[in-house]
Amino acid sequence: MKDRAEADGRDGLRLTTRETAERLGVKPETVYAYVSRGQLSSSRIPGGRGSTFDAAEVEALARRTGRREASPASGDPAVRTGITLIDGDRYYFRGVDATELAARHTYEEVAEWLWTGALVPGIRFAAPAQAVAAARRAVGALPAHCGSTDRLRVAVVAAAATDPLRFDLSRDAVLAGARSLIPTLVEALPGAGGLGGTEAAGGAGAVSEAGALGGLAGQLWPKLTARRPDEPSLTVLDTALALLIDHDLAASTLAARVAASARAHPYAVVSAGLGVLEGPLHGAASGLAHRMLAEVLQRGGAAPVVADHLRAGRPVPGLGHRLYTGEDPRARALFDLLAHVPQAGPALSAAREVVATVARDTTLHANVDLALAVLSVSSGMPAEAGETVFAIARTAGWIAHALEEYGESPLRMRPSGHYTGPRPPQPLPTP
């Protein structure tokens, strides 16, 4: 930047108005308000328009005000958030160890904690009949080959259309909508093997039994598998939902915050998150791990399966996480619970064999996708079940981030492009 270079040569490191605003996390006009109050000093750019600011003075003001949006040394964008902290090989929801929360409280209780900072024992979310009916009709109109994320995206749109208050972004309205949207998404999914509806003998009873045992997890179970639930299995599913509620600024969460920054209503925020979740490097990663584990069980060992992945130049699914040097704490928590589920034994052993095989040459550890794959394979669920669990769980996290973003300046998440095309003016193109 020309004005930056001139200023640097004159007085040491100086910042433009825009850079100063970014460091402080405020609008450019607020920077000049600081100048008028004597909190910052500025210098005019010789021969140009605008001002520059002493970097050290800006940093001191940022420390005093606590408002800072500067990117970390890695170059990754940084956003202030009080929701999730990842530190070392642990992560925390509002300062509380997330794995301990998930071990002691239901998904709904953890979601409420994330949204409000208050623990409400026994809370259960309920779906409005009108929203469920509309979502089921919309989902039912989709082709049979559609995946669960396709159905969830359609269900969100249908549920939004039934809510005339969706544009009310007040905290109470957003929370009320969230508590009804999540169970609506679950109820909109078709049942597995007929258990989700009355078309199968005993189906409605199975749904009622599962719901009584495990709240939202119990309602979700018959959407994922035709097998009857037991308490240990529902505990694993409910814990998985709670563990997956949020994980800092993952790709889908960033998309949700961008939508909320533009003041999109909560349904649209969730739609934005679902649009990103389907990628193979995010929510769909557990499906790859599911298929790998199923193949390991079929072939009787991990070595040939791992070899095939490496020969094809594909990473081994379910291993490694960029935020953890050791084992993903979510995977560790789920593996501990899966050890108490008898039918999970073979899949759990297969997962451990995969980790041990790869560990001969690398230091990769199991991540949560591998743990979800153990659950889905051992419970007779389809490969996409982990993605469904991920999507339902993360909906609560997207809402938490939307609530936080609604309290910030609108449209603040607007990065500037670094233009690399031909410099103008260029001649008009000709046919």
mmCIF file with all atom_site columns, all heavy atoms in Angstrom, residues 255-277:
data_model
loop_
_atom_site.group_PDB
_atom_site.id
_atom_site.type_symbol
_atom_site.label_atom_id
_atom_site.label_alt_id
_atom_site.label_comp_id
_atom_site.label_asym_id
_atom_site.label_entity_id
_atom_site.label_seq_id
_atom_site.pdbx_PDB_ins_code
_atom_site.Cartn_x
_atom_site.Cartn_y
_atom_site.Cartn_z
_atom_site.occupancy
_atom_site.B_iso_or_equiv
_atom_site.pdbx_formal_charge
_atom_site.auth_seq_id
_atom_site.auth_comp_id
_atom_site.auth_asym_id
_atom_site.auth_atom_id
_atom_site.pdbx_PDB_model_num
ATOM 1   N N   . ALA A 1 255 ? -19.316 -20.042 8.091  1.00 0.00 ? 255 ALA A N   1
ATOM 2   C CA  . ALA A 1 255 ? -20.368 -19.699 7.137  1.00 0.00 ? 255 ALA A CA  1
ATOM 3   C C   . ALA A 1 255 ? -21.616 -19.214 7.855  1.00 0.00 ? 255 ALA A C   1
ATOM 4   O O   . ALA A 1 255 ? -22.273 -18.246 7.433  1.00 0.00 ? 255 ALA A O   1
ATOM 5   C CB  . ALA A 1 255 ? -20.692 -20.904 6.261  1.00 0.00 ? 255 ALA A CB  1
ATOM 6   N N   . ALA A 1 256 ? -21.955 -19.880 8.966  1.00 0.00 ? 256 ALA A N   1
ATOM 7   C CA  . ALA A 1 256 ? -23.124 -19.471 9.733  1.00 0.00 ? 256 ALA A CA  1
ATOM 8   C C   . ALA A 1 256 ? -22.934 -18.071 10.305 1.00 0.00 ? 256 ALA A C   1
ATOM 9   O O   . ALA A 1 256 ? -23.871 -17.249 10.306 1.00 0.00 ? 256 ALA A O   1
ATOM 10  C CB  . ALA A 1 256 ? -23.377 -20.472 10.861 1.00 0.00 ? 256 ALA A CB  1
ATOM 11  N N   . ARG A 1 257 ? -21.742 -17.759 10.779 1.00 0.00 ? 257 ARG A N   1
ATOM 12  C CA  . ARG A 1 257 ? -21.495 -16.429 11.336 1.00 0.00 ? 257 ARG A CA  1
ATOM 13  C C   . ARG A 1 257 ? -21.535 -15.357 10.249 1.00 0.00 ? 257 ARG A C   1
ATOM 14  O O   . ARG A 1 257 ? -21.996 -14.233 10.493 1.00 0.00 ? 257 ARG A O   1
ATOM 15  C CB  . ARG A 1 257 ? -20.152 -16.399 12.077 1.00 0.00 ? 257 ARG A CB  1
ATOM 16  C CG  . ARG A 1 257 ? -20.177 -17.120 13.406 1.00 0.00 ? 257 ARG A CG  1
ATOM 17  C CD  . ARG A 1 257 ? -19.005 -16.718 14.298 1.00 0.00 ? 257 ARG A CD  1
ATOM 18  N NE  . ARG A 1 257 ? -19.234 -15.426 14.920 1.00 0.00 ? 257 ARG A NE  1
ATOM 19  C CZ  . ARG A 1 257 ? -19.177 -15.201 16.232 1.00 0.00 ? 257 ARG A CZ  1
ATOM 20  N NH1 . ARG A 1 257 ? -18.928 -16.191 17.064 1.00 0.00 ? 257 ARG A NH1 1
ATOM 21  N NH2 . ARG A 1 257 ? -19.360 -13.987 16.706 1.00 0.00 ? 257 ARG A NH2 1
ATOM 22  N N   . VAL A 1 258 ? -21.042 -15.674 9.067  1.00 0.00 ? 258 VAL A N   1
ATOM 23  C CA  . VAL A 1 258 ? -21.123 -14.707 7.962  1.00 0.00 ? 258 VAL A CA  1
ATOM 24  C C   . VAL A 1 258 ? -22.583 -14.400 7.658  1.00 0.00 ? 258 VAL A C   1
ATOM 25  O O   . VAL A 1 258 ? -22.973 -13.240 7.456  1.00 0.00 ? 258 VAL A O   1
ATOM 26  C CB  . VAL A 1 258 ? -20.395 -15.248 6.721  1.00 0.00 ? 258 VAL A CB  1
ATOM 27  C CG1 . VAL A 1 258 ? -20.673 -14.359 5.518  1.00 0.00 ? 258 VAL A CG1 1
ATOM 28  C CG2 . VAL A 1 258 ? -18.890 -15.327 6.969  1.00 0.00 ? 258 VAL A CG2 1
ATOM 29  N N   . ALA A 1 259 ? -23.420 -15.446 7.616  1.00 0.00 ? 259 ALA A N   1
ATOM 30  C CA  . ALA A 1 259 ? -24.849 -15.230 7.368  1.00 0.00 ? 259 ALA A CA  1
ATOM 31  C C   . ALA A 1 259 ? -25.474 -14.380 8.477  1.00 0.00 ? 259 ALA A C   1
ATOM 32  O O   . ALA A 1 259 ? -26.249 -13.462 8.209  1.00 0.00 ? 259 ALA A O   1
ATOM 33  C CB  . ALA A 1 259 ? -25.566 -16.576 7.260  1.00 0.00 ? 259 ALA A CB  1
ATOM 34  N N   . ALA A 1 260 ? -25.125 -14.680 9.728  1.00 0.00 ? 260 ALA A N   1
ATOM 35  C CA  . ALA A 1 260 ? -25.670 -13.902 10.840 1.00 0.00 ? 260 ALA A CA  1
ATOM 36  C C   . ALA A 1 260 ? -25.160 -12.469 10.807 1.00 0.00 ? 260 ALA A C   1
ATOM 37  O O   . ALA A 1 260 ? -25.887 -11.532 11.186 1.00 0.00 ? 260 ALA A O   1
ATOM 38  C CB  . ALA A 1 260 ? -25.302 -14.560 12.169 1.00 0.00 ? 260 ALA A CB  1
ATOM 39  N N   . SER A 1 261 ? -23.930 -12.276 10.342 1.00 0.00 ? 261 SER A N   1
ATOM 40  C CA  . SER A 1 261 ? -23.388 -10.927 10.230 1.00 0.00 ? 261 SER A CA  1
ATOM 41  C C   . SER A 1 261 ? -24.211 -10.083 9.263  1.00 0.00 ? 261 SER A C   1
ATOM 42  O O   . SER A 1 261 ? -24.340 -8.873  9.433  1.00 0.00 ? 261 SER A O   1
ATOM 43  C CB  . SER A 1 261 ? -21.931 -10.990 9.767  1.00 0.00 ? 261 SER A CB  1
ATOM 44  O OG  . SER A 1 261 ? -21.395 -9.706  9.573  1.00 0.00 ? 261 SER A OG  1
ATOM 45  N N   . ALA A 1 262 ? -24.767 -10.746 8.245  1.00 0.00 ? 262 ALA A N   1
ATOM 46  C CA  . ALA A 1 262 ? -25.635 -10.042 7.285  1.00 0.00 ? 262 ALA A CA  1
ATOM 47  C C   . ALA A 1 262 ? -27.071 -9.961  7.779  1.00 0.00 ? 262 ALA A C   1
ATOM 48  O O   . ALA A 1 262 ? -27.959 -9.527  7.044  1.00 0.00 ? 262 ALA A O   1
ATOM 49  C CB  . ALA A 1 262 ? -25.588 -10.757 5.937  1.00 0.00 ? 262 ALA A CB  1
ATOM 50  N N   . ARG A 1 263 ? -27.279 -10.389 9.024  1.00 0.00 ? 263 ARG A N   1
ATOM 51  C CA  . ARG A 1 263 ? -28.579 -10.366 9.695  1.00 0.00 ? 263 ARG A CA  1
ATOM 52  C C   . ARG A 1 263 ? -29.580 -11.304 9.030  1.00 0.00 ? 263 ARG A C   1
ATOM 53  O O   . ARG A 1 263 ? -30.792 -11.044 9.021  1.00 0.00 ? 263 ARG A O   1
ATOM 54  C CB  . ARG A 1 263 ? -29.138 -8.946  9.794  1.00 0.00 ? 263 ARG A CB  1
ATOM 55  C CG  . ARG A 1 263 ? -28.301 -8.011  10.673 1.00 0.00 ? 263 ARG A CG  1
ATOM 56  C CD  . ARG A 1 263 ? -28.119 -8.596  12.075 1.00 0.00 ? 263 ARG A CD  1
ATOM 57  N NE  . ARG A 1 263 ? -27.372 -7.712  12.968 1.00 0.00 ? 263 ARG A NE  1
ATOM 58  C CZ  . ARG A 1 263 ? -26.086 -7.876  13.281 1.00 0.00 ? 263 ARG A CZ  1
ATOM 59  N NH1 . ARG A 1 263 ? -25.394 -8.881  12.752 1.00 0.00 ? 263 ARG A NH1 1
ATOM 60  N NH2 . ARG A 1 263 ? -25.485 -7.052  14.107 1.00 0.00 ? 263 ARG A NH2 1
ATOM 61  N N   . ALA A 1 264 ? -29.082 -12.425 8.494  1.00 0.00 ? 264 ALA A N   1
ATOM 62  C CA  . ALA A 1 264 ? -29.971 -13.494 8.058  1.00 0.00 ? 264 ALA A CA  1
ATOM 63  C C   . ALA A 1 264 ? -30.671 -14.072 9.283  1.00 0.00 ? 264 ALA A C   1
ATOM 64  O O   . ALA A 1 264 ? -30.097 -14.128 10.373 1.00 0.00 ? 264 ALA A O   1
ATOM 65  C CB  . ALA A 1 264 ? -29.174 -14.572 7.335  1.00 0.00 ? 264 ALA A CB  1
ATOM 66  N N   . HIS A 1 265 ? -31.908 -14.523 9.124  1.00 0.00 ? 265 HIS A N   1
ATOM 67  C CA  . HIS A 1 265 ? -32.630 -15.095 10.266 1.00 0.00 ? 265 HIS A CA  1
ATOM 68  C C   . HIS A 1 265 ? -32.036 -16.460 10.622 1.00 0.00 ? 265 HIS A C   1
ATOM 69  O O   . HIS A 1 265 ? -31.272 -17.052 9.841  1.00 0.00 ? 265 HIS A O   1
ATOM 70  C CB  . HIS A 1 265 ? -34.126 -15.185 9.978  1.00 0.00 ? 265 HIS A CB  1
ATOM 71  C CG  . HIS A 1 265 ? -34.493 -15.985 8.759  1.00 0.00 ? 265 HIS A CG  1
ATOM 72  N ND1 . HIS A 1 265 ? -34.350 -17.359 8.691  1.00 0.00 ? 265 HIS A ND1 1
ATOM 73  C CD2 . HIS A 1 265 ? -34.995 -15.606 7.549  1.00 0.00 ? 265 HIS A CD2 1
ATOM 74  C CE1 . HIS A 1 265 ? -34.762 -17.810 7.522  1.00 0.00 ? 265 HIS A CE1 1
ATOM 75  N NE2 . HIS A 1 265 ? -35.143 -16.766 6.801  1.00 0.00 ? 265 HIS A NE2 1
ATOM 76  N N   . PRO A 1 266 ? -32.335 -17.001 11.804 1.00 0.00 ? 266 PRO A N   1
ATOM 77  C CA  . PRO A 1 266 ? -31.676 -18.227 12.265 1.00 0.00 ? 266 PRO A CA  1
ATOM 78  C C   . PRO A 1 266 ? -31.840 -19.424 11.337 1.00 0.00 ? 266 PRO A C   1
ATOM 79  O O   . PRO A 1 266 ? -30.923 -20.250 11.226 1.00 0.00 ? 266 PRO A O   1
ATOM 80  C CB  . PRO A 1 266 ? -32.334 -18.485 13.624 1.00 0.00 ? 266 PRO A CB  1
ATOM 81  C CG  . PRO A 1 266 ? -32.762 -17.124 14.098 1.00 0.00 ? 266 PRO A CG  1
ATOM 82  C CD  . PRO A 1 266 ? -33.174 -16.402 12.862 1.00 0.00 ? 266 PRO A CD  1
ATOM 83  N N   . TYR A 1 267 ? -32.989 -19.553 10.680 1.00 0.00 ? 267 TYR A N   1
ATOM 84  C CA  . TYR A 1 267 ? -33.162 -20.667 9.745  1.00 0.00 ? 267 TYR A CA  1
ATOM 85  C C   . TYR A 1 267 ? -32.170 -20.551 8.588  1.00 0.00 ? 267 TYR A C   1
ATOM 86  O O   . TYR A 1 267 ? -31.601 -21.550 8.138  1.00 0.00 ? 267 TYR A O   1
ATOM 87  C CB  . TYR A 1 267 ? -34.593 -20.692 9.208  1.00 0.00 ? 267 TYR A CB  1
ATOM 88  C CG  . TYR A 1 267 ? -35.664 -20.896 10.253 1.00 0.00 ? 267 TYR A CG  1
ATOM 89  C CD1 . TYR A 1 267 ? -36.242 -19.812 10.919 1.00 0.00 ? 267 TYR A CD1 1
ATOM 90  C CD2 . TYR A 1 267 ? -36.113 -22.180 10.579 1.00 0.00 ? 267 TYR A CD2 1
ATOM 91  C CE1 . TYR A 1 267 ? -37.230 -19.989 11.876 1.00 0.00 ? 267 TYR A CE1 1
ATOM 92  C CE2 . TYR A 1 267 ? -37.107 -22.372 11.530 1.00 0.00 ? 267 TYR A CE2 1
ATOM 93  C CZ  . TYR A 1 267 ? -37.659 -21.279 12.177 1.00 0.00 ? 267 TYR A CZ  1
ATOM 94  O OH  . TYR A 1 267 ? -38.638 -21.465 13.134 1.00 0.00 ? 267 TYR A OH  1
ATOM 95  N N   . ALA A 1 268 ? -31.986 -19.334 8.097  1.00 0.00 ? 268 ALA A N   1
ATOM 96  C CA  . ALA A 1 268 ? -31.030 -19.130 7.013  1.00 0.00 ? 268 ALA A CA  1
ATOM 97  C C   . ALA A 1 268 ? -29.601 -19.359 7.492  1.00 0.00 ? 268 ALA A C   1
ATOM 98  O O   . ALA A 1 268 ? -28.748 -19.843 6.737  1.00 0.00 ? 268 ALA A O   1
ATOM 99  C CB  . ALA A 1 268 ? -31.178 -17.709 6.454  1.00 0.00 ? 268 ALA A CB  1
ATOM 100 N N   . VAL A 1 269 ? -29.330 -19.013 8.741  1.00 0.00 ? 269 VAL A N   1
ATOM 101 C CA  . VAL A 1 269 ? -28.011 -19.282 9.331  1.00 0.00 ? 269 VAL A CA  1
ATOM 102 C C   . VAL A 1 269 ? -27.736 -20.782 9.336  1.00 0.00 ? 269 VAL A C   1
ATOM 103 O O   . VAL A 1 269 ? -26.650 -21.246 8.954  1.00 0.00 ? 269 VAL A O   1
ATOM 104 C CB  . VAL A 1 269 ? -27.932 -18.714 10.756 1.00 0.00 ? 269 VAL A CB  1
ATOM 105 C CG1 . VAL A 1 269 ? -26.704 -19.242 11.491 1.00 0.00 ? 269 VAL A CG1 1
ATOM 106 C CG2 . VAL A 1 269 ? -27.913 -17.188 10.717 1.00 0.00 ? 269 VAL A CG2 1
ATOM 107 N N   . VAL A 1 270 ? -28.731 -21.564 9.759  1.00 0.00 ? 270 VAL A N   1
ATOM 108 C CA  . VAL A 1 270 ? -28.581 -23.019 9.773  1.00 0.00 ? 270 VAL A CA  1
ATOM 109 C C   . VAL A 1 270 ? -28.424 -23.555 8.352  1.00 0.00 ? 270 VAL A C   1
ATOM 110 O O   . VAL A 1 270 ? -27.622 -24.465 8.107  1.00 0.00 ? 270 VAL A O   1
ATOM 111 C CB  . VAL A 1 270 ? -29.776 -23.674 10.490 1.00 0.00 ? 270 VAL A CB  1
ATOM 112 C CG1 . VAL A 1 270 ? -29.732 -25.197 10.340 1.00 0.00 ? 270 VAL A CG1 1
ATOM 113 C CG2 . VAL A 1 270 ? -29.775 -23.295 11.967 1.00 0.00 ? 270 VAL A CG2 1
ATOM 114 N N   . SER A 1 271 ? -29.158 -22.993 7.403  1.00 0.00 ? 271 SER A N   1
ATOM 115 C CA  . SER A 1 271 ? -29.016 -23.409 6.008  1.00 0.00 ? 271 SER A CA  1
ATOM 116 C C   . SER A 1 271 ? -27.601 -23.171 5.508  1.00 0.00 ? 271 SER A C   1
ATOM 117 O O   . SER A 1 271 ? -27.041 -23.999 4.776  1.00 0.00 ? 271 SER A O   1
ATOM 118 C CB  . SER A 1 271 ? -30.016 -22.646 5.126  1.00 0.00 ? 271 SER A CB  1
ATOM 119 O OG  . SER A 1 271 ? -31.343 -23.029 5.413  1.00 0.00 ? 271 SER A OG  1
ATOM 120 N N   . ALA A 1 272 ? -27.014 -22.044 5.889  1.00 0.00 ? 272 ALA A N   1
ATOM 121 C CA  . ALA A 1 272 ? -25.640 -21.747 5.480  1.00 0.00 ? 272 ALA A CA  1
ATOM 122 C C   . ALA A 1 272 ? -24.682 -22.786 6.055  1.00 0.00 ? 272 ALA A C   1
ATOM 123 O O   . ALA A 1 272 ? -23.775 -23.264 5.364  1.00 0.00 ? 272 ALA A O   1
ATOM 124 C CB  . ALA A 1 272 ? -25.248 -20.340 5.938  1.00 0.00 ? 272 ALA A CB  1
ATOM 125 N N   . GLY A 1 273 ? -24.876 -23.140 7.308  1.00 0.00 ? 273 GLY A N   1
ATOM 126 C CA  . GLY A 1 273 ? -24.025 -24.149 7.921  1.00 0.00 ? 273 GLY A CA  1
ATOM 127 C C   . GLY A 1 273 ? -24.169 -25.504 7.254  1.00 0.00 ? 273 GLY A C   1
ATOM 128 O O   . GLY A 1 273 ? -23.177 -26.195 6.984  1.00 0.00 ? 273 GLY A O   1
ATOM 129 N N   . LEU A 1 274 ? -25.399 -25.896 6.943  1.00 0.00 ? 274 LEU A N   1
ATOM 130 C CA  . LEU A 1 274 ? -25.635 -27.180 6.294  1.00 0.00 ? 274 LEU A CA  1
ATOM 131 C C   . LEU A 1 274 ? -25.012 -27.231 4.903  1.00 0.00 ? 274 LEU A C   1
ATOM 132 O O   . LEU A 1 274 ? -24.539 -28.282 4.462  1.00 0.00 ? 274 LEU A O   1
ATOM 133 C CB  . LEU A 1 274 ? -27.139 -27.451 6.183  1.00 0.00 ? 274 LEU A CB  1
ATOM 134 C CG  . LEU A 1 274 ? -27.853 -27.831 7.482  1.00 0.00 ? 274 LEU A CG  1
ATOM 135 C CD1 . LEU A 1 274 ? -29.357 -27.831 7.282  1.00 0.00 ? 274 LEU A CD1 1
ATOM 136 C CD2 . LEU A 1 274 ? -27.387 -29.196 7.974  1.00 0.00 ? 274 LEU A CD2 1
ATOM 137 N N   . GLY A 1 275 ? -24.994 -26.086 4.215  1.00 0.00 ? 275 GLY A N   1
ATOM 138 C CA  . GLY A 1 275 ? -24.410 -26.059 2.881  1.00 0.00 ? 275 GLY A CA  1
ATOM 139 C C   . GLY A 1 275 ? -22.934 -26.394 2.878  1.00 0.00 ? 275 GLY A C   1
ATOM 140 O O   . GLY A 1 275 ? -22.421 -27.009 1.936  1.00 0.00 ? 275 GLY A O   1
ATOM 141 N N   . VAL A 1 276 ? -22.231 -26.008 3.942  1.00 0.00 ? 276 VAL A N   1
ATOM 142 C CA  . VAL A 1 276 ? -20.796 -26.277 4.033  1.00 0.00 ? 276 VAL A CA  1
ATOM 143 C C   . VAL A 1 276 ? -20.523 -27.649 4.632  1.00 0.00 ? 276 VAL A C   1
ATOM 144 O O   . VAL A 1 276 ? -19.542 -28.310 4.292  1.00 0.00 ? 276 VAL A O   1
ATOM 145 C CB  . VAL A 1 276 ? -20.111 -25.184 4.889  1.00 0.00 ? 276 VAL A CB  1
ATOM 146 C CG1 . VAL A 1 276 ? -18.629 -25.478 5.074  1.00 0.00 ? 276 VAL A CG1 1
ATOM 147 C CG2 . VAL A 1 276 ? -20.300 -23.819 4.239  1.00 0.00 ? 276 VAL A CG2 1
ATOM 148 N N   . LEU A 1 277 ? -21.420 -28.097 5.494  1.00 0.00 ? 277 LEU A N   1
ATOM 149 C CA  . LEU A 1 277 ? -21.193 -29.328 6.255  1.00 0.00 ? 277 LEU A CA  1
ATOM 150 C C   . LEU A 1 277 ? -21.008 -30.547 5.366  1.00 0.00 ? 277 LEU A C   1
ATOM 151 O O   . LEU A 1 277 ? -20.317 -31.500 5.731  1.00 0.00 ? 277 LEU A O   1
ATOM 152 C CB  . LEU A 1 277 ? -22.379 -29.562 7.200  1.00 0.00 ? 277 LEU A CB  1
ATOM 153 C CG  . LEU A 1 277 ? -22.225 -30.692 8.209  1.00 0.00 ? 277 LEU A CG  1
ATOM 154 C CD1 . LEU A 1 277 ? -21.238 -30.301 9.289  1.00 0.00 ? 277 LEU A CD1 1
ATOM 155 C CD2 . LEU A 1 277 ? -23.569 -31.027 8.831  1.00 0.00 ? 277 LEU A CD2 1
#
